[in-house]
């Protein structure tokens, strides 16, 4: 999986792909309960039905959520033409005043014994300076590799309407995982956080390294939804390493989310996490 489609090395071609990605996808905060349920539904589709990592939290509505969603702001990437949710991610901010486990990152709840780094441990960092990017999920319709120039797939999220993707649209799909991480990172920066943790399978840090996000592994590998390890990166490392080709995407997401955060504050939604 490449950071840019087809391992694009030409700067002009890279810029075209990034511009098209911005034009064809929306980046949205989940402000309403309906929007949150869109994220929970995609998580159910991926984590419960497809990968069988989790039990459904609400089997009737087909939703997956957990206690850490109380400390989270959720983001969606939506495909403009079809209206499909292509991916979701959440930013989790522990609250020191709240009872366990809401005073910790999710990765501390299930993997605390695996966190072995002498310095880069949440308990040794300034409270309120860090957050976790987690529950990153890409809709399987945007992950399946297809040989035909035009394809149709039946999606349960569109009331069994047939969804068509052209070859040109599918060229952008490999950018989604990177786009979701950049969205989570940009949101954390908007919230004033400067240190990021994530529990990732080995392939994702390698993918993100191609974009300039060079993580430090801060824990032993554990079996949790497959083989995963805790990783860390801070503001200085992220922004000094970010590839110039991705800067327009980062700035677009940052500006888009800033406007939506203003709306969230105006509606008094999740203000305990923002203030």
């Amino acid at each position: 999986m490449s950071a840019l489609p087809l391992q694009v090395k030409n700067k002009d071609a890279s810029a075209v792909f990034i511009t098209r990605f911005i034009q064809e996808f929306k980046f949205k905060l989940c402000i309403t309960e309906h929007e949150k349920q869109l994220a929970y539904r995609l998580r159910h589709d991926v984590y419960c039905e497809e990968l069988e990592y989790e039990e459904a939290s609400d089997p009737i509505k087909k939703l997956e959520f957990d206690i850490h969603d109380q400390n989270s702001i959720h983001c969606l990437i939506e495909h403009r033409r079809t209206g499909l949710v292509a991916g979701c991610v959440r930013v989790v901010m522990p609250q020191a005043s709240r009872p366990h486990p809401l005073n910790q990152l999710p990765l501390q709840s299930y993997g605390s014994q695996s966190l072995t780094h002498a310095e880069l441990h949440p308990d040794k960092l300034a409270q309120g300076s860090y957050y976790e990017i987690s529950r990153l999920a890409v809709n399987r319709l945007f992950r399946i590799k297809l040989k035909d120039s035009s394809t149709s797939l039946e999606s349960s999220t569109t009331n069994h309407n047939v969804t068509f993707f052209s070859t040109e649209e599918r060229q952008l799909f490999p950018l989604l995982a990177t786009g979701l991480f950049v969205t989570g990172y940009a949101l954390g920066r908007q919230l004033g956080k400067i240190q990021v943790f994530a529990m990732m399978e080995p392939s994702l840090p390698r993918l993100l390294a191609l974009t300039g996000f060079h993580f430090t592994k801060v824990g032993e590998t554990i079996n949790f939804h497959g083989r995963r390890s805790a990783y860390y990166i801070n503001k200085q490392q992220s922004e000094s390493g970010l590839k110039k080709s991705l800067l327009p995407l980062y700035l677009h997401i940052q500006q888009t989310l800033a406007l939506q955060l203003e709306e969230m504050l105006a509606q008094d939604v999740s203000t305990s996490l923002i203030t």
Side-chain angles (χ1 to χ4, degrees):
M1 194 174 189
S2 58
L4 285 173
L6 307 178
Q7 291 284 26
V8 173
K9 296 181 181 180
N10 180 278
K11 291 183 179 180
D12 292 337
S14 297
V16 169
F17 275 111
I18 293 297
T19 299
R20 284 177 49 204
F21 189 71
I22 291 170
Q23 292 172 341
E24 295 188 25
F25 291 91
K26 293 180 182 179
F27 305 86
K28 301 174 62 175
L29 295 185
C30 296
I31 297 175
T32 67
E33 187 61 30
H34 171 69
E35 290 168 337
K36 290 180 183 178
Q37 291 201 7
L38 290 176
Y40 299 157
R41 176 63 184 273
L42 178 57
R43 282 163 47 174
H44 174 276
D45 291 347
V46 174
Y47 288 104
C48 303
E49 291 194 343
E50 182 183 353
L51 300 176
E52 298 182 345
Y53 284 158
E54 299 283 352
E55 295 292 331
S57 307
D58 186 333
I60 304 300
K61 294 183 179 179
K62 295 188 175 182
L63 305 177
E64 189 280 316
F65 49 84
D66 65 20
I67 191 170
H68 293 287
D69 288 313
Q70 298 178 35
N71 277 349
S72 301
I73 297 179
H74 304 270
C75 307
L76 302 175
I77 295 183
E78 182 180 285
H79 189 238
R80 293 180 187 270
R81 182 181 65 80
T82 62
L84 287 172
V85 175
C88 66
V89 68
R90 70 178 180 184
V91 165
V92 187
M93 295 158 286
Q95 306 294 303
S97 61
R98 304 196 70 179
H100 179 82
L102 295 174
N103 60 345
Q104 293 183 326
L105 298 171
L107 59 81
Q108 289 177 277
S109 297
Y110 58 77
S112 61
Q113 298 303 313
S114 73
L115 301 176
T116 55
H117 198 284
E119 298 175 355
L120 302 178
H121 189 290
D123 291 344
K124 297 183 179 181
L125 302 176
Q127 186 73 33
S129 68
Y130 56 85
Y131 62 103
E132 182 176 338
I133 295 175
S134 73
R135 283 300 197 270
L136 188 154
V138 176
N139 188 327
R140 70 183 300 269
L141 294 177
F142 294 84
R143 283 184 281 117
I144 295 175
K145 296 181 180 179
L146 298 159
K147 297 180 181 179
D148 299 332
S149 60
S150 180
T151 194
S152 65
L153 290 171
E154 192 170 289
S155 170
S156 61
T157 60
T158 55
N159 296 320
H160 300 290
N161 291 327
V162 175
T163 303
F164 294 90
F165 294 120
S166 68
T167 299
E168 289 73 22
E169 286 177 313
R170 296 199 320 274
Q171 286 177 334
L172 302 177
F173 292 177
L175 276 168
L176 281 165
T178 298
L180 285 167
F181 179 83
V182 173
T183 300
Y185 175 77
L187 175 57
R189 291 294 300 119
Q190 289 287 335
L191 296 167
K193 311 298 181 182
I194 59 173
Q195 303 183 90
V196 188
F197 287 89
M199 184 69 79
M200 296 185 281
E201 60 184 22
S203 63
L204 186 53
R206 290 197 296 267
L207 170 67
L208 293 172
L210 296 175
T211 70
F213 288 101
H214 298 285
F215 284 82
T216 299
K217 186 178 178 182
V218 295
E220 299 173 355
T221 302
I222 61 174
N223 285 310
F224 180 77
H225 298 168
R227 293 179 61 77
R228 297 177 185 268
S229 305
Y231 289 85
Y232 166 95
I233 195 169
N234 62 31
K235 172 182 177 291
Q236 181 179 358
Q237 293 167 324
S238 299
E239 297 183 2
S240 64
L242 183 66
K243 298 290 185 183
K244 289 184 179 179
S245 60
L246 278 178
L247 187 58
L249 176 62
Y250 173 65
L251 293 176
H252 171 76
I253 293 173
Q254 194 175 52
Q255 293 166 3
T256 300
L257 298 188
L259 295 172
Q260 295 177 38
L261 272 175
E262 290 181 7
E263 180 183 351
M264 184 176 280
L265 282 168
Q267 296 187 20
D268 195 33
V269 177
S270 298
T271 52
S272 63
L273 299 178
I274 299 171
T275 57

